[in-house]
């Protein structure tokens, strides 16, 4: 029987979560014919866990995706219901935007965006097999048997591969949010020689808003002045909801301790590796015995629903224990659970099998992005998605892969960590993972990346012109501040005294004045020296001046880092042949096959002496060729 | 890789007459200019020429040494980088001082074989030498790993790990607040950061100081012979060393260079340093020697203050004693040339006046054994003390400790300026990385592990 070929595409994306959507949009927007497959078209860009986007390091990722021409920031700006900058008091390197999102509205906005996108087809089907020929991708097969041909396939299967949901002693083969799991694709990946791992994550219960006693909760308002995610958003929406805070108490902890034997985490029913930063409430109670309370954030899931998310009490306890736990918490005494908390186990790949372009080293044309790569979080997924989409297109067009390094973007840190170091738990982005965090700020994501996005072709004229305008304004303002010298007259010294700043006796530039920690840009209006500039421009100017010394130091570190990154290691290097490398280093290097000396130095088990040996070996090779 | 400028002593360690210190890397000339004062700036000096000048510490403005400086611009050099070679005549300890000055002004210590490695990497030396270079590096790895194993059980690495642990502790407190601001983990205050940093700096200081004692064990104890001119310092030195090194004459002030001798007193290595007479002088050449003597005094572990038995204690002698006491050095007072004192009564009076002084005659071999005993007694007493102390014996470790201290100080100044925690964390992390270079730990991983093990965070 001849097989039915349903279509032929440049790029096929398997899965329409946050990674899949960015990948498909990037590919289609760059002009490649693209198809995106999902188990259920109504679950596109779903948020099966917390209904928010952003947060520390994650907010930076969203801004970077946006600066490159991605979608997440725009859709988040269109559908958020409360917004907040975290860490406002802690310094610009760690300011992080986070927004509560109307989950349904987000999904609809994203689905419509995909549907309206030229070159992009949406298909509801379960992909069960990756078709290859001589280790090169040919296409996919779906559950109905239909084949779709493609030059490149991007796996963005999230937590759906052989997923299993666990609630107490009950375990069901199911994807998140009651959706079907993808049971067959894992076998196809294994047959291709791909190494799979089993990870675990979880989500707390949702309760009905009507059943909550709000008088016992502490209000958590959003910011008064709202900062959007996208550099394209001029007038952001307003806050429309309130979030709340309550606490667990000794009674909650007693219930948990008495029922520990019923938790599958402790009885051994769960094999998957969970994330340390995402402990269940039973984990927290067991590990932090001295804490007599834990925070529980109560957050709305959207405007058109009564469902409320209980951040802080994710658990895999049986339903009856869950009920007891929730009702022991102030304000939730009568809470009605709509969806119980559950733990979920799923297959993911060992990401060290990938190149930095997110293509499998051993399978030509197969890419992979998002939670399947061992990461966690919507933003981490989307960040990998856009990169995989871009690189799929570049592969087809025979262009060099687009790789961001650790000094250019959080996206670079994320992918480098996954691919070079690997991970043994779901990987969450944190600012402490970024060596150059003073440079990788959310306010300058466009300055860092938009030019690159333009070269790649994802940055529209409109976005690019905005960027150029902003850049010009910043440069001109910095120049003006340097050139404008104010003299030490009465008015100035009164002004300085008002701001508890030392008086001046000789002329000083506005630039030097702004170096003083106590003088802010807007203060300059009091002496008629502030210009009417956008908030973003003022912020960039202020940070550039106030942190100049530190930024210079960071730039120096970056320069050193780049030098090591630029020393390429040949693809065909046989590490076992190199005299002087220690055995552990040989094994690790042979497995991960770093692309540069810098990457090699980040692999655990490779010492500085090994790097010296590699350097010399490389030089020897070079001379033999000459 | 080769963006750093390295410095090292490139002649064999020991008491050679000339010690050559080599700088290689892009900043060689600018670093040399910071400590060298000659007719021309090194940057303006013609390549492959020699210049005479002085090494002056930019920190204390004191003259360390008179040297010859050779400038060699890339690529016609051993390493094919910019190279400066400084020939020092002051002996090994002066050379070490000079080298430390270079480390403080921007150079990093050269690893064993690193000049050769650079020469190879920059295409200077022949392919056949590559293996030899790899051997050097690998030999170092083996040695380092042996040392590392030893140190794992040793007090040094325990101490450094303990210091790291304390920095990791503050950092994880800062980082958890930065990465998880919405959780109610107690926020660390600038005051706490300041207090802990100061405590760590104090401990680092102790370790850095212990390097000196470590040196005492490794290189021997440094005994300086001080005294006004012509009391017989050189004679004593020669007698102890049993070879003729110092120029011995009757003209005051003829020993202008510090002369070093390594001697062995009952198995204790002792570095004996003979100084020019410590006294005010107008003679420029002599003054240089005198300045060096003062420097030698500062570095001494033990001082023999020599006076002339015939003169008793003169004002000049008093000056010397007060100088030694100012430096807080252990010393013994020795009256030499008792054979020339005719009046027995005078000697007796002297003995009564200075009961702890030794009466000796170098020329007649009187009292020398007692002097040796005194030196030995000091050495053994000190060694016992040192057994209870943690000693830094590796110059590279000392360098890293000092860097760590610098970063901690920078974090303190950030605290002073009221800067935010993300900036303060930058220096703390840098300090942690420096200490990690000694123990072989990665800063980032440790901090992240600490965050998860210590704080209760997450959904």
């Amino acid at each position: 029987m001849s097989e039915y070929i349903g279509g032929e595409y440049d790029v096929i994306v398997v899965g329409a979560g946050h990674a899949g959507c960015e990948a498909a949009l990037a590919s289609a927007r760059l002009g490649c014919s693209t198809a995106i497959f999902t188990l259920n078209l109504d679950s596109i860009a779903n948020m099966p866990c917390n209904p928010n986007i952003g947060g520390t390091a994650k907010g930076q990722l969203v801004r970077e995706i946006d600066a490159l021409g991605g979608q997440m920031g725009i859709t988040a700006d269109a559908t958020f219901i409360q917004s907040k900058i975290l860490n406002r008091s802690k310094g610009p390197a760690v300011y992080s935007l986070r927004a509560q999102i109307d989950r349904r509205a987000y999904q609809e906005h994203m689905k419509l965006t995909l549907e309206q996108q030229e070159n992009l087809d949406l298909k509801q089907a379960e992909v069960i097999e990756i078709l290859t020929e001589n280790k090169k991708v040919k296409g996919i097969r779906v559950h109905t048997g239909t084949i779709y041909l493609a030059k490149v396939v991007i796996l963005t299967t999230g937590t759906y591969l052989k997923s299993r949901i666990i609630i107490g002693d009950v375990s069901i083969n199911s994807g998140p949010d009651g959706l079907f799991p993808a049971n067959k694709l894992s076998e196809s990946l294994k047959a291709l020689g791909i190494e799979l791992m089993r990870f675990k994550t979880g989500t707390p219960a949702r309760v009905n808003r009507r059943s909550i006693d709000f008088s016992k909760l502490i209000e958590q308002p959003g910011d008064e002045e709202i900062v959007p995610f996208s550099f394209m958003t001029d007038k952001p929406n307003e806050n429309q909801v309130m979030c709340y805070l309550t606490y667990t108490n000794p009674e909650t902890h007693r219930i948990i301790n008495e029922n520990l034997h019923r938790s599958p985490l402790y009885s051994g029913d769960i094999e998957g590796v969970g994330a340390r930063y995402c402990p269940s409430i039973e984990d927290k109670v067991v590990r932090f015995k001295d804490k007599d309370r834990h925070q529980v954030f109560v957050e709305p899931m959207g405007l058109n629903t009564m469902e409320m998310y209980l951040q802080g009490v994710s658990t895999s306890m049986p339903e009856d224990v869950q009920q007891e736990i929730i009702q022991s918490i102030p304000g939730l005494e009568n809470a009605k659970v709509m969806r119980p908390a559950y733990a979920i186990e799923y297959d993911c790949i060992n990401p060290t099998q990938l190149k930095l372009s997110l293509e499998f080293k051993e399978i030509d044309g197969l890419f992979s992005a998002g939670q399947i790569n061992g990461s966690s979080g919507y933003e981490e997924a989307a960040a990998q998605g856009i990169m995989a989409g871009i690189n799929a297109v570049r592969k087809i067009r025979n262009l060099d892969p687009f790789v961001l390094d650790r000094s250019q973007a959080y996206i670079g840190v994320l992918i480098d960590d996954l691919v070079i170091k690997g991970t043994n738990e779901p990987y969450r982005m944190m600012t402490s993972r970024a060596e150059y965090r003073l440079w990788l700020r959310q306010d300058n994501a466009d300055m860092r990346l938009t030019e690159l996005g333009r070269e790649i072709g994802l940055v529209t004229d409109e976005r690019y012109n905005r960027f150029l305008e902003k850049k010009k304004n910043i440069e001109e303002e910095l120049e003006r501040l340097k050139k404008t010298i104010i003299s030490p007259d009465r008015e100035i010294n009164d002004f300085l005294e008002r701001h508890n700043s030392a008086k001046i006796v000789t002329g000083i530039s506005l630039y030097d004045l702004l170096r003083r920690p106590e003088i802010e840009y807007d203060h300059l209006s009091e002496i008629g020296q502030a210009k009417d500039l956008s908030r973003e421009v003022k912020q960039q100017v202020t940070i550039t001046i106030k942190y100049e010394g530190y930024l210079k130091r960071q730039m120096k570190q970056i320069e050193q880092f780049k030098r090591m990154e630029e020393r390429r290691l040949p693809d065909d290097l046989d590490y076992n042949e190199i005299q002087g490398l220690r055995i552990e280093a040989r094994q690790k290097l042979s497995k991960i096959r770093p692309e540069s000396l810098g990457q090699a130095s980040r692999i655990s088990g490779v010492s500085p002496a090994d790097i010296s040996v590699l350097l010399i070996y490389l030089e020897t090779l070079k001379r033999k060729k000459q | 890789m080769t963006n750093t400028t390295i410095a090292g002593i490139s002649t064999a360690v020991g008491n050679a007459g000339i010690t050559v210190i080599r700088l290689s890397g892009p900043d060689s000339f600018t670093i040399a200019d910071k400590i060298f004062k000659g007719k021309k700036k090194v940057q303006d000096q013609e390549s492959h020429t020699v210049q005479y000048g002085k090494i002056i510490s930019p920190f204390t403005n004191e003259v360390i040494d008179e040297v010859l400086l050779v400038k060699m611009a890339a690529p016609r050099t051993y390493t094919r980088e910019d190279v400066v070679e400084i020939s020092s005549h002051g002996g090994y300890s002066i050379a070490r001082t000079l080298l430390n000055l270079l480390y403080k002004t921007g150079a990093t210590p050269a690893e064993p074989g690193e000049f050769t490695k650079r020469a190879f990497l920059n295409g200077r030396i022949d392919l056949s030498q590559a293996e030899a270079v790899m051997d050097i590096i690998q030999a170092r790895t083996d040695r380092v790993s042996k040392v590392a194993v030893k140190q794992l059980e040793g007090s040094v690495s325990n101490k450094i790990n303990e210091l790291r642990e304390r920095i990791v502790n503050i950092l994880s407190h800062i980082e958890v607040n930065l990465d998880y601001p919405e959780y109610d983990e107690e926020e660390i205050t600038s005051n706490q950061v300041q207090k802990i940093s100061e405590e760590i700096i104090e401990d680092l200081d102790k370790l850095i100081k212990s390097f000196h004692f470590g040196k005492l064990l490794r290189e021997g104890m440094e005994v300086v012979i001080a005294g006004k001119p012509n009391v017989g310092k050189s004679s004593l030195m020669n007698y102890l060393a049993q070879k003729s090194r110092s120029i011995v004459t009757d003209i005051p002030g003829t020993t202008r260079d510090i002369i070093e001798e390594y001697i062995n007193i009952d198995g204790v290595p002792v570095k004996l340093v003979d100084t020019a007479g410590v006294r005010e002088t107008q003679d420029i050449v002599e003054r240089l020697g005198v300045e060096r003597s003062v420097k030698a005094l500062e570095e001494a572990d033990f001082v023999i203050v020599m006076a002339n038995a015939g003169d008793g204690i003169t004002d000049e002698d008093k000056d010397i004693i007060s100088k030694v006491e100012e430096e807080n050095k252990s010393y013994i007072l020795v009256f030499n040339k008792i054979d020339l004192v005719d009046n027995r009564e005078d000697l007796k009076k002297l003995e009564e006046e200075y009961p702890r002084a030794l009466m000796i005659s170098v020329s007649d071999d009187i009292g020398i054994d007692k002097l040796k005993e005194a030196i030995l007694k000091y050495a053994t007493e000190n060694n016992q003390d040192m057994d209870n102390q943690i000693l830094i014996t590796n110059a590279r470790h000392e360098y890293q400790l000092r860097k760590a201290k610098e970063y901690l100080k920078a974090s303190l100044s950030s605290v002073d300026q009221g800067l935010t925690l993300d900036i303060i964390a930058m220096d703390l992390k840098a300090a942690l990385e420096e200490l990690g270079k000694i123990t072989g730990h990665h800063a980032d991983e440790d901090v992240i592990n600490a965050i998860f093990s210590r704080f209760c965070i997450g959904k």
Side-chain angles (χ1 to χ4, degrees):
Chain A
M1 186 188 105
S2 74
E3 287 173 311
Y4 172 56
I5 296 178
E8 198 175 337
Y9 295 93
D10 289 329
V11 176
I12 282 176
V13 179
V14 184
H18 304 283
C21 289
E22 293 292 347
L25 284 172
S27 158
R29 285 169 178 170
L30 289 174
C32 280
S33 66
T34 308
I36 185 166
F37 286 78
T38 174
L39 288 163
N40 188 335
L41 281 171
D42 294 327
S43 62
I44 284 175
N46 188 21
M47 299 185 193
C49 197
N50 55 334
N52 54 53
I53 282 181
T56 50
K58 291 162 171 271
Q60 279 86 330
L61 282 173
V62 179
R63 290 220 139 202
E64 289 176 357
I65 294 165
D66 187 71
L68 286 170
Q71 186 60 35
M72 186 173 238
I74 293 170
T75 301
D77 281 346
T79 58
F80 81 90
I81 49 182
Q82 192 204 54
S83 167
K84 206 178 205 170
I85 291 240
L86 304 174
N87 279 335
R88 250 190 214 284
S89 63
K90 287 170 193 151
V94 291
Y95 292 166
S96 305
L97 181 58
R98 190 186 60 189
Q100 295 299 129
I101 305 288
D102 184 315
R103 167 170 165 265
R104 279 279 169 239
Y106 187 92
Q107 286 185 273
E108 280 174 4
H109 188 281
M110 189 60 88
K111 183 171 178 241
L112 185 62
T113 306
L114 296 180
E115 288 165 347
Q116 289 174 333
Q117 179 60 50
E118 212 182 314
N119 300 325
L120 182 57
D121 287 351
L122 288 81
K123 302 252 176 212
Q124 178 167 305
E126 181 190 349
V127 175
I128 58 167
E129 193 185 347
I130 305 300
L131 305 173
T132 60
E133 206 176 274
N134 299 326
K135 294 264 168 191
K136 189 174 178 345
V137 158
K138 301 297 291 177
I140 56 157
R141 188 194 306 276
V142 301
H143 64 309
T144 56
T146 303
I147 285 173
Y148 294 87
L149 299 176
K151 293 175 185 147
V152 168
V153 172
I154 305 174
L155 299 171
T156 53
T157 58
T159 58
Y160 284 77
L161 288 185
K162 269 199 184 159
S163 51
R164 185 169 76 112
I165 273 172
I166 304 116
I167 302 171
D169 45 13
V170 180
S171 134
I172 316 147
N173 288 333
S174 166
D177 266 344
L179 291 156
F180 281 114
N183 283 325
K184 295 188 174 146
L185 193 55
S186 288
E187 295 314 314
S188 166
L189 297 181
K190 269 191 220 160
L192 290 174
I194 293 171
E195 181 195 341
L196 297 180
M197 309 190 289
R198 195 120 175 110
F199 276 5
K200 179 223 122 187
T201 182
T203 193
R206 315 295 195 271
V207 299
N208 192 310
R209 182 180 196 101
R210 286 190 301 117
S211 62
I212 298 173
D213 179 358
F214 287 96
S215 69
K216 291 181 181 163
L217 306 188
I218 305 153
E219 291 195 339
Q220 304 280 298
D223 283 348
E224 276 179 29
E225 188 200 2
I226 289 184
V227 178
F229 278 111
S230 175
F231 293 100
M232 297 296 284
T233 306
D234 286 325
K235 286 208 172 117
N237 297 343
E238 286 176 9
N239 290 323
Q240 299 174 67
V241 294
M242 184 60 75
C243 294
Y244 304 89
L245 171 64
T246 180
Y247 292 93
T248 62
N249 52 45
E251 173 62 9
T252 320
H253 302 177
R254 184 194 61 78
I255 298 165
I256 290 165
N257 279 319
E258 280 176 9
N259 287 287
L260 268 186
H261 61 284
R262 301 187 59 197
S263 162
L265 288 175
Y266 289 88
S267 65
D269 277 356
I270 292 183
E271 299 158 30
V273 187
R276 289 172 297 174
Y277 50 80
C278 184
S280 61
I281 185 69
E282 50 266 37
D283 263 342
K284 292 190 209 173
V285 169
V286 169
R287 284 183 51 216
F288 299 95
K289 287 195 168 62
D290 53 327
K291 288 202 96 177
D292 54 8
R293 65 175 201 178
H294 294 282
Q295 287 163 312
V296 180
F297 291 96
V298 183
E299 301 167 345
M301 300 283 292
L303 294 179
N304 299 319
T305 175
M306 289 282 131
E307 275 189 88
M308 299 290 276
Y309 175 88
L310 300 182
Q311 175 174 320
V313 283
S314 96
T315 179
S316 52
M317 287 282 195
E319 263 192 295
D320 56 317
V321 184
Q322 287 193 24
Q323 188 73 22
E324 259 191 275
I325 291 172
I326 289 171
Q327 294 190 345
S328 71
I329 299 169
L332 305 179
E333 293 87 347
N334 299 307
K336 295 237 167 76
V337 173
M338 296 175 70
R339 308 185 201 214
Y342 60 80
I344 181 167
E345 269 192 355
Y346 55 94
D347 285 349
C348 59
I349 64 146
N350 180 347
T352 60
Q353 298 168 97
L354 300 173
K355 302 180 195 170
L356 286 166
S357 62
L358 297 177
E359 185 181 10
F360 279 87
K361 288 169 189 160
E362 303 295 336
I363 303 161
D364 194 49
L366 185 63
F367 288 71
S368 151
Q371 235 161 329
I372 186 181
N373 286 349
S375 67
S376 136
Y378 314 140
E379 305 81 356
E380 287 87 340
Q384 293 169 65
I386 189 171
M387 297 301 281
I390 290 169
N391 282 322
V393 172
R394 294 179 75 81
K395 165 106 190 168
I396 291 168
R397 295 183 179 159
N398 280 322
L399 297 168
D400 281 342
F402 174 57
V403 173
L404 291 169
D405 71 35
R406 303 182 75 87
S407 70
Q408 288 174 297
Y410 272 90
I411 298 177
V413 176
L414 166 71
I415 296 176
D416 189 82
D417 274 351
L418 286 171
V419 170
I420 305 299
K421 294 183 189 161
T423 183
N424 50 21
E425 66 179 340
Y427 176 101
R428 180 205 200 266
M429 199 66 231
M430 297 165 71
T431 69
S432 20
R433 296 193 198 270
E435 295 87 342
Y436 315 111
R437 114 180 131 187
L438 192 57
W439 173 236
L440 304 187
R441 303 186 313 269
Q442 48 117 30
D443 61 86
N444 68 356
D446 53 346
M447 296 296 137
R448 290 184 278 122
L449 300 173
T450 296
E451 200 76 66
L452 293 169
R454 179 72 176 176
E455 277 167 40
I456 279 159
L458 275 181
V459 167
T460 59
D461 290 346
E462 194 196 346
R463 185 186 284 275
Y464 192 56
N465 289 334
R466 268 172 187 250
F467 159 76
L468 290 179
E469 173 75 13
K470 180 175 162 191
K471 197 174 166 201
K472 192 178 115 225
N473 285 341
I474 293 168
E475 281 164 2
E476 283 177 0
E477 181 59 1
L478 283 171
E479 200 51 40
R480 182 187 74 93
L481 293 169
K482 269 185 195 158
K483 280 191 181 148
T484 313
I485 311 288
I486 47 169
S487 15
D489 58 21
R490 179 84 181 264
E491 188 203 349
I492 293 300
N493 278 327
D494 283 352
F495 160 77
L496 290 172
E497 208 176 346
R498 267 202 307 284
H499 294 284
N500 290 321
S501 196
K503 289 186 183 180
I504 53 169
V505 285
T506 53
I508 182 173
S509 70
L510 291 174
Y511 192 95
D512 283 335
L513 206 58
L514 273 175
R515 277 181 207 271
R516 301 180 170 191
E518 62 278 7
I519 304 293
E520 295 295 335
Y521 187 90
D522 285 337
H523 294 160
L524 296 182
S525 63
E526 297 168 33
I527 49 171
Q529 289 292 359
K531 282 193 103 182
D532 184 24
L533 296 161
S534 71
R535 189 190 49 79
E536 289 84 10
V537 170
K538 284 191 253 178
Q539 190 182 27
Q540 286 267 303
V541 165
T542 307
I543 294 171
T544 307
I545 295 173
K546 291 209 188 294
Y547 294 90
E548 191 179 27
Y550 291 92
L551 281 165
K552 271 195 184 145
R553 225 174 92 191
Q554 193 115 91
M555 288 302 148
K556 227 175 164 178
Q557 293 171 343
I558 289 175
E559 237 173 72
Q560 282 178 7
F561 157 82
K562 292 248 185 202
R563 233 166 255 146
M564 286 286 276
E565 297 305 297
E566 279 157 15
R567 299 295 283 248
R568 312 305 294 176
L569 293 168
D571 276 348
D572 54 352
L573 207 56
D574 183 355
Y575 292 100
N576 288 317
E577 254 194 8
I578 302 176
Q579 292 292 312
L581 275 185
R582 288 165 320 112
I583 290 172
E584 189 191 0
R586 280 183 203 186
Q587 289 167 345
K588 290 270 174 70
L589 289 165
S590 304
K591 187 170 181 218
I592 294 180
R593 307 207 59 81
E595 288 169 23
S596 72
L597 218 52
Q599 287 169 27
S601 70
R602 288 193 290 280
I603 299 171
S604 74
V606 176
S607 73
D610 294 320
I611 296 296
S612 278
V613 169
L614 270 181
L615 249 176
I616 289 168
Y617 184 79
L618 286 180
E619 182 63 27
T620 316
L621 274 187
K622 199 173 115 196
R623 282 197 222 171
K624 270 183 189 156
K625 275 184 199 150
Q626 281 167 3
Chain B
M1 269 161 297
T2 49
N3 55 323
T4 53
T5 298
I6 50 171
I9 294 179
S10 61
T11 41
V13 173
N15 45 5
I18 293 173
T19 312
V20 176
I21 291 139
R22 185 188 272 152
L23 271 163
S24 175
D27 300 327
S28 292
F29 303 151
T30 49
I31 293 173
D33 270 329
K34 288 183 192 161
I35 65 160
F36 176 80
K37 291 283 167 296
K39 269 193 177 163
K40 277 184 186 167
K41 288 184 86 175
V42 180
Q43 296 195 62
D44 303 330
Q45 187 180 335
E46 210 174 300
S47 184
H48 294 76
T49 60
V50 183
Q51 191 184 181
Y52 162 84
K54 286 176 187 166
I55 299 295
I56 298 173
S57 162
F59 307 103
T60 61
N61 285 326
E62 88 188 293
V63 178
I64 309 283
D65 199 5
E66 272 176 83
V67 299
L68 291 176
L69 181 145
V70 185
K71 171 184 176 174
M72 289 167 280
R76 278 197 307 135
T77 69
Y78 180 62
T79 56
R80 287 211 169 159
E81 301 173 336
D82 285 344
V83 167
V84 168
E85 285 183 356
I86 301 169
S87 302
S88 152
H89 302 77
Y92 189 65
S93 78
I94 292 285
R96 287 248 23 130
T97 310
L98 213 161
L99 198 57
N100 278 328
L101 215 52
L102 289 172
Y103 296 161
K104 282 188 202 161
T105 46
T108 51
E111 307 257 1
E114 197 172 353
F115 289 110
T116 314
K117 182 177 113 186
R118 289 188 174 200
F120 176 76
L121 288 179
N122 294 324
R124 166 72 171 67
I125 56 173
D126 183 58
L127 191 63
S128 63
Q129 292 178 39
E131 267 174 40
V133 182
M134 277 207 235
D135 282 348
I136 296 168
I137 294 166
Q138 211 47 48
R140 184 187 153 263
T141 326
D142 289 347
R143 204 166 62 234
V144 166
S145 61
K146 264 180 215 153
V147 170
V149 171
K150 231 169 119 190
Q151 286 198 334
L152 270 181
E153 302 151 351
S155 50
V156 172
S157 89
N158 283 346
K159 181 69 197 173
I160 289 169
N161 277 328
E162 188 233 308
L163 292 176
R164 290 192 77 250
E165 184 58 27
R166 276 150 71 186
I167 301 177
V168 166
N169 192 28
I170 346 179
L171 260 177
S172 63
H173 267 95
I174 294 177
E175 297 292 340
V176 78
N177 283 317
L178 297 180
D179 267 322
Y180 293 90
E182 65 272 47
Y183 288 86
D184 56 353
E185 293 298 345
E186 200 183 319
E187 292 209 7
I188 194 161
T189 61
S190 304
N191 282 345
Q192 284 168 291
V193 174
Q194 187 173 10
K195 189 171 159 273
I196 301 169
S197 294
E198 276 167 359
E199 285 167 11
I200 299 171
I201 287 175
E202 210 172 288
D203 278 15
L204 281 174
D205 263 336
K206 276 186 207 154
L207 280 178
I208 293 165
K209 272 197 194 131
S210 84
F211 179 65
H212 182 66
F213 286 103
K215 202 180 80 180
L216 208 141
L217 284 187
R218 198 179 60 254
E219 290 173 12
M221 137 180 184
E222 207 165 310
V223 176
V224 166
I225 311 172
K228 65 188 176 193
N230 210 28
V231 289
K233 301 187 295 291
S234 303
S235 311
L236 175 66
M237 174 112 173
N238 290 339
Y239 188 86
L240 288 173
Q242 280 160 1
K243 32 179 159 151
S244 189
R245 265 200 75 89
S246 308
I247 312 155
V248 187
T249 67
D250 291 332
I251 311 157
T254 35
T255 310
R256 293 207 180 87
D257 280 333
I258 304 167
I259 305 294
E260 303 170 1
E261 280 298 342
Y262 285 87
I263 63 167
N264 185 322
I265 304 180
D266 288 357
V268 176
V270 171
K271 186 166 100 183
L272 214 51
V273 183
D274 180 10
T275 62
V278 179
R279 62 164 195 180
E280 299 299 316
T281 174
Q282 295 305 311
D283 182 331
I284 294 167
V285 182
E286 194 185 331
R287 198 163 60 209
L288 194 67
V290 173
E291 277 161 0
R292 275 192 217 145
S293 306
V294 173
K295 178 89 191 144
L297 262 188
E298 282 171 16
E299 287 182 357
D301 299 306
F302 187 71
V303 183
I304 300 170
V305 178
M306 203 176 222
N308 191 328
D311 300 346
I313 293 293
T314 63
D315 285 349
E316 221 173 328
D317 294 326
K318 279 181 189 160
D319 279 353
I320 292 167
I321 291 172
S322 66
K323 228 165 220 148
V324 171
E325 284 176 347
E326 250 170 57
E327 292 291 331
N328 223 349
K329 299 290 178 189
S330 301
Y331 70 96
I332 185 165
L333 182 59
V334 167
F335 288 104
N336 189 26
K337 305 190 184 179
I338 54 167
D339 54 307
L340 298 179
V341 180
D342 293 333
N343 192 337
R344 291 279 136 194
E345 286 300 306
D346 287 353
L347 266 187
K348 254 211 171 105
K349 258 164 94 183
L350 210 54
E351 270 180 72
E352 275 162 20
E353 205 177 331
Y354 300 96
R356 294 167 66 192
L358 284 181
M359 298 292 161
I360 67 165
S361 161
V362 176
S363 58
D364 286 8
D365 189 12
I366 305 169
I368 303 291
D369 284 345
K370 282 195 175 156
L371 180 58
K372 281 187 185 173
E373 263 172 45
I375 295 171
L376 206 57
K377 193 172 162 228
Y378 172 81
T380 46
E381 273 173 7
N382 242 299
N383 268 329
Q384 274 166 7
D385 283 353
M386 285 187 299
D387 281 345
N388 302 321
Q389 223 189 340
I390 294 158
L391 293 181
I392 296 296
T393 54
N394 182 317
R396 213 178 157 81
H397 293 175
E398 191 227 15
Y399 174 77
Q400 245 100 45
L401 290 171
R402 265 195 287 149
K403 292 286 273 187
K405 183 180 149 187
E406 273 171 36
Y407 284 123
L408 284 174
K409 284 205 150 167
S411 80
L412 282 181
S413 94
S414 303
V415 170
D416 270 351
Q417 291 169 49
L419 289 167
T420 44
L421 287 173
D422 53 336
I423 298 293
I424 295 165
M426 224 173 126
D427 288 314
L428 288 174
K429 204 174 253 181
L432 189 60
E433 263 159 24
E434 291 302 332
L435 295 182
K437 283 179 192 164
I438 301 176
T439 58
H441 289 89
H442 285 293
D444 289 337
E445 286 165 26
D446 283 0
V447 174
I448 288 170
N449 287 339
I451 290 176
F452 291 135
S453 64
R454 279 174 213 177
F455 303 101
C456 183
I457 37 161
K459 63 185 176 189

